[in-house]
């Protein structure tokens, strides 16, 4: 069972990701947060830590770049982060990867694209889980 924290304010994108996870038979539990400033307080109180954080950049209250920096400079820095955003900007990609994101993905516009996105997310989450099990 993969525990996912999805930080996304667009309900359509949340729905597309959920459908792709189901369509790819991924066993998961998901929590969704719509505002960037709610991520750290959520993690400080949660009982089951996510295996992966999927983070949009364009968020209300606190931009995804700021969320990424605050996560990677916190006690939660070990949790892998996949940036999933509408941005295809080279600057955004470079910034996110230099700041500690594990992967930068532009939001796909097709079902096949979302299936590929889910594959990339599950690979990163599974690597994290395996690394923690071997400790």
């Amino acid at each position: 069972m993969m525990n996912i924290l999805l930080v996304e304010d667009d309900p359509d994108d949340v729905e597309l990701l959920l459908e792709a996870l189901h369509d790819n038979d991924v066993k998961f539990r998901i929590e969704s947060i719509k505002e960037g400033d709610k991520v750290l307080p959520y993690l400080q109180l949660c009982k089951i830590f996510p295996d992966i954080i999927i983070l949009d950049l364009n968020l209300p209250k606190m931009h995804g770049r700021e969320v990424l920096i605050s996560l990677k400079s916190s006690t939660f820095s070990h949790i892998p982060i996949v940036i999933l955003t509408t941005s295809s900007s080279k600057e955004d990609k470079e910034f996110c990867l230099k700041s500690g994101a594990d992967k930068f993905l532009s939001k796909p516009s097709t079902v096949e694209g979302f299936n590929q996105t889910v594959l990339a997310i599950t690979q990163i989450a599974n690597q994290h889980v395996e690394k923690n099990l071997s400790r």
Side-chain angles (χ1 to χ4, degrees):
M1 175 80 57
M2 183 187 326
N3 292 304
I4 301 169
L5 175 58
L6 175 60
V7 187
E8 172 62 67
D9 64 320
D10 184 331
D12 292 335
D13 288 339
V14 171
E15 191 60 36
L16 285 169
L17 183 63
L18 289 173
E19 285 180 29
L21 288 163
H22 285 294
D23 290 350
N24 286 277
D25 296 321
V26 176
K27 305 279 186 256
F28 68 95
R29 184 179 306 121
I30 194 164
E31 289 292 329
S32 185
I33 296 176
K34 292 178 171 59
E35 298 169 343
D37 65 336
K38 303 278 194 275
V39 176
L40 275 176
Y42 167 80
L43 288 171
Q44 291 164 344
L45 297 174
C46 76
K47 303 217 181 323
I48 299 173
F49 290 112
D51 298 310
I52 193 160
I53 297 171
I54 304 170
L55 176 63
D56 187 17
L57 290 184
N58 301 311
L59 296 167
K61 308 274 176 122
M62 182 184 224
H63 193 273
R65 283 179 171 214
E66 295 173 76
V67 176
L68 175 61
I69 290 169
S70 64
L71 285 169
K72 288 302 178 179
S73 62
S74 74
T75 57
F76 308 109
S77 63
H78 64 284
I79 301 172
I81 299 175
V82 172
I83 305 298
L84 184 58
T85 183
T86 55
S87 172
S88 56
S89 151
K90 184 179 177 186
E91 293 81 22
D92 279 341
K93 182 175 184 176
E94 288 175 359
F95 177 88
C96 291
L97 294 174
K98 283 181 183 172
S99 298
D102 294 82
K103 191 108 175 141
F104 184 97
L105 301 169
S106 292
K107 288 180 183 172
S109 56
T110 65
V111 171
E112 180 56 34
F114 261 96
N115 289 337
Q116 292 300 317
T117 297
V118 164
L119 181 62
I121 290 167
T122 55
Q123 286 175 337
I124 291 168
N126 288 336
Q127 289 169 355
H128 172 71
V129 169
E130 288 170 15
K131 195 182 333 178
N132 284 340
L133 289 175
S134 66
R135 284 185 187 173

